[in-house]
Amino acid sequence: MTTPFPTSHVPPAPRRAKAGARITLTLASLAMLGPFTIDTVFPAFTRIGAEFGGDEVALQQLVSAYLAAFAVMSIFHGPLSDALGRKKVMIGGLVIYLIGMFGCVLAPSMGTLILLRVLQGMSAGAATIVSRVVIRDMFSGSEAQRLMAQVMMIFSVAPAVAPIFGGWLLLLGDWRWVFAGVGVYALLVLVLTVRLPETLPPEARTPLRVRSLLGSLAHVGRSPVMLRVAAASAFGFASQFLFIAGASIVVVRLLGLGERDFWVLFIPLIIGMLSGAWVVGRVADLMDRSRLITFGFVGTVVTTVVNLVLVSFAPEFTGGLSWGLLLAVIGPMLIAFTVALLFAPIQLEVLDLFPHERGAAASLGTFFGLVLNALLAGLIAPLVTTGLVALGLTSLIFALLGGGFWVWHLRVVRRPVAA
């Protein structure tokens, strides 16, 4: 499946048997940077639009511009970490991210704000993507899956906490307080990252040459196995992320709630993600990774169907807590649970496809999902949030696509080789 590298480029064996609390917290904090960057800003959309005269579509670009830049640069963060080391790339990315975040506090126009979001997107992946590689560098087998699940459990808190945190920051003043608050969080993450060990020693690194970096990406990117697994992961996660990408429209317009009511949607999502990640950690020694991913995809198709049925029969919303509102958030919670079952193990599946080029594999494995997420935030979510039924149907389509790519992958890898 992969072409062996010279002995000097073979990655070292994992050096730890168990993950301590500090390492787990640091890696989870790095992973949470992305959700905090996206979701904390949602409650501030109304005030940003009022100050700069931006409509719903323009405001959604604050998310899609970040995600698009994140996607483009995600291709390079992993290979750079294969050449320079994991720690240097993560720290450099966080420093640039902080410049962009505090620049948002001083932004004089919507255009400037969007450009600064692009800078954040270009740099944030250095921390979030490479931190996944660090997990696989340090651990293997069930412990790697268990740590990935633990990181995801903590990471799962971010989508629920972030908009609530953003709403609280708005009590201090205008929308600029939201960006300042996230900047302080990123500064704390930088301090934690500085204390992390370097997990890729110099003798295991690839040459820092443009041709070498592009060659590594080309080698990984032209693998049919990689393309199938990455597509399965991207579409599977999209069935849940659709609700996050369109949260500003779903909560305010479809559910008739206010700018500090995002918890109504995000707390059920966090319960689902947290529960699913907990199950993944518990079954790490009991269930084959491939079987767990299959179980997650089957469950996601089922829960998206359940969600579609629930919202089809939900009563009209009156703008407050009601029976109809309960039915509208149960489905996303169930979808988040089943997506969590497949998310952590499929990340390890991607990394193990190319053990000598884990950085490049992490980058390209993430790239497909990020491109789809950017399209969800900037184009698809505004189009399908005409109603909860349209939103639910779109989620079901993504679940079917993800499951289809995974079944295709299983059939190919299990096909007997002709004598």
Side-chain angles (χ1 to χ4, degrees):
M1 193 184 319
T2 59
T3 303
F5 268 66
T7 304
S8 62
H9 293 154
V10 174
R15 293 175 291 174
R16 295 170 182 257
K18 295 288 183 181
R22 181 174 63 83
I23 289 177
T24 302
L25 178 62
T26 301
L27 294 172
S29 299
L30 286 162
M32 289 169 66
L33 192 66
F36 258 89
T37 307
I38 299 170
D39 301 337
T40 309
V41 184
F42 284 147
F45 271 20
T46 302
R47 299 193 189 185
I48 295 173
E51 179 171 333
F52 295 140
D55 57 13
E56 267 186 359
V57 175
L59 290 168
Q60 279 295 119
Q61 304 319 306
L62 292 174
V63 179
S64 63
Y66 166 83
L67 289 173
F70 194 115
V72 171
M73 283 303 297
S74 70
I75 299 175
F76 303 103
H77 294 312
L80 282 173
S81 76
D82 286 337
L84 298 174
R86 316 300 188 201
K87 192 171 177 179
K88 287 181 182 177
V89 173
M90 289 191 292
I91 291 175
L94 284 169
V95 170
I96 297 172
Y97 174 89
L98 281 166
I99 294 171
M101 184 58 76
F102 287 116
C104 288
V105 177
L106 306 174
S109 66
M110 178 66 82
T112 304
L113 191 59
I114 291 175
L115 286 176
L116 287 165
R117 293 287 281 177
V118 169
L119 181 62
Q120 292 170 18
M122 292 173 66
S123 54
T128 57
I129 294 172
V130 178
S131 65
R132 297 176 190 174
V133 186
V134 170
I135 292 175
R136 189 60 188 85
D137 283 347
M138 299 177 74
F139 305 97
S140 62
S142 60
E143 183 59 24
Q145 181 171 310
R146 189 175 293 109
L147 177 57
M148 189 76 81
Q150 290 172 346
V151 166
M152 187 177 175
M153 286 177 67
I154 302 173
F155 156 84
S156 300
V157 177
V161 172
I164 299 172
F165 181 53
W168 287 344
L169 289 171
L170 289 176
L171 297 176
L172 300 176
D174 65 13
W175 57 267
R176 299 172 194 275
W177 281 90
V178 174
F179 290 96
V182 179
V184 171
Y185 170 79
L187 189 60
L188 294 174
V189 173
L190 176 60
V191 173
L192 289 172
T193 304
V194 169
R195 299 188 61 197
L196 272 179
E198 173 56 62
T199 61
L200 188 68
E203 64 270 16
R205 298 173 190 175
T206 58
L208 181 58
R209 295 193 296 266
V210 173
R211 184 175 180 180
S212 176
L213 293 178
L214 294 180
S216 176
L217 286 170
H219 176 229
V220 174
R222 63 173 173 257
S223 165
V225 178
M226 178 67 174
L227 295 175
R228 286 191 294 269
V229 175
S233 176
F235 284 117
F237 186 71
S239 62
Q240 172 204 321
F241 187 75
L242 180 63
F243 296 92
I244 298 173
S248 62
I249 300 173
V250 172
V251 172
V252 177
R253 177 152 58 82
L254 298 186
L255 300 182
L257 302 174
E259 65 181 19
R260 285 192 289 273
D261 293 325
F262 281 79
W263 63 270
V264 174
L265 174 63
F266 282 97
I267 284 184
L269 284 173
I270 174 64
I271 291 173
M273 294 170 68
L274 196 62
S275 302
W278 180 83
V279 171
V280 171
R282 296 289 290 180
V283 303
D285 294 316
L286 305 175
M287 184 180 292
D288 176 75
R289 189 167 70 195
S290 179
R291 182 175 297 179
L292 179 59
I293 296 170
T294 301
F295 188 78
F297 274 115
V298 172
T300 301
V301 172
V302 171
T303 53
T304 51
V305 171
V306 170
N307 173 66
L308 188 57
V309 172
L310 289 176
V311 296
S312 297
F313 292 98
E316 292 294 324
F317 297 102
T318 58
L321 299 178
S322 65
W323 175 246
L325 184 62
L326 179 63
L327 293 179
V329 299
I330 287 177
M333 179 179 69
L334 296 174
I335 295 169
F337 172 78
T338 53
V339 169
L341 295 179
L342 65 92
F343 186 76
I346 207 169
Q347 300 304 310
L348 293 172
E349 191 81 7
V350 168
L351 293 174
D352 284 348
L353 289 174
F354 296 89
H356 308 296
E357 302 159 291
R358 285 180 189 148
S363 282
L364 286 177
T366 306
F367 175 74
F368 294 100
L370 291 172
V371 170
L372 184 54
N373 290 347
L375 290 173
L376 282 172
L379 179 62
I380 299 174
L383 290 176
V384 303
T385 46
T386 54
L388 292 175
V389 173
L391 190 68
L393 181 60
T394 308
S395 177
L396 171 59
I397 291 171
F398 283 133
L400 290 170
L401 286 171
F405 274 105
W406 180 249
V407 170
W408 183 13
H409 166 68
L410 292 180
R411 287 184 175 180
V412 171
V413 298
R414 292 173 181 175
R415 185 179 300 159
V417 179

